[in-house]
Amino acid sequence: SDNLAFMSVGFRHLAARQVDAKFPAYERIIPNTTDGATVDRDRWQQAIRRAMLVGTTSRRKVRLEVDGTVMVVRAASAEIGDAVERVPVTVTGAGWASAFDGELLADFLAVAEPGEVTYGQAGEKAPARLHQHADTIDFTYILMPLVI
């Protein structure tokens, strides 16, 4: 059949089938907000890494607070204490605060190239839109906030 593919390499075998279905309208879940912050990827990545040092392996909650020209990255642990990092940003719109899984933020920053990335969110409970447009990469990453 034209919609089947079989491949073998050594002892490994792969079978794939093309599904004749309409792809979900993923564009509907991508937040469309003009409020956001532009931040240097390297500075933000370092701040997230340092803040996550105080978290436990099962709880890597990181709180982001954007206000004026600064993004404050906070993490807390009853055993170790608090971490507060400040990263300069360019903000469009009003400030806001949300909490995220720090590992998921770190995943985005690990694949983003050095340079500027944008972070947009319509409210603290709304999904965040992380985006980078660079010479060799252009992608959008959607991240759901944690309950604060």
Side-chain angles (χ1 to χ4, degrees):
S1 176
D2 290 341
N3 62 350
L4 298 175
F6 298 97
M7 294 165 261
S8 294
V9 177
F11 293 106
R12 292 188 166 86
H13 306 285
L14 175 67
R17 178 174 59 98
Q18 180 180 359
V19 178
D20 292 328
K22 187 175 179 182
F23 197 75
Y26 66 90
E27 296 92 354
R28 291 189 333 211
I29 67 162
I30 297 176
N32 191 11
T33 179
T34 57
D35 291 351
T38 302
V39 60
D40 179 75
R41 193 248 8 205
D42 291 338
R43 294 179 97 166
W44 194 15
Q45 185 177 40
Q46 291 166 8
I48 294 292
R49 284 181 181 166
R50 285 190 299 267
M52 286 187 353
L53 290 175
V54 302
T56 62
T57 55
S58 63
R59 186 175 166 179
R60 301 258 186 199
K61 183 164 89 170
V62 174
R63 183 173 169 84
L64 302 178
E65 300 167 6
V66 177
D67 191 22
T69 60
V70 175
M71 174 188 288
V72 179
V73 179
R74 298 180 187 272
S77 167
E79 298 85 26
I80 299 172
D82 298 339
V84 178
E85 297 284 332
R86 288 176 172 72
V87 182
V89 295
T90 303
V91 178
T92 305
W96 65 92
S98 286
F100 297 98
D101 182 323
E103 288 288 334
L104 297 177
L105 274 171
D107 288 346
F108 165 75
L109 296 169
V111 297
E113 292 187 351
E116 291 184 337
V117 294
T118 58
Y119 160 61
Q121 195 171 6
E124 72 178 50
K125 294 181 181 179
R129 179 180 186 259
L130 307 171
H131 181 79
Q132 184 176 47
H133 177 77
D135 293 336
T136 59
I137 195 166
D138 185 6
F139 73 96
T140 299
Y141 187 86
I142 307 302
L143 188 58
M144 293 301 294
L146 301 174
V147 176
I148 299 176

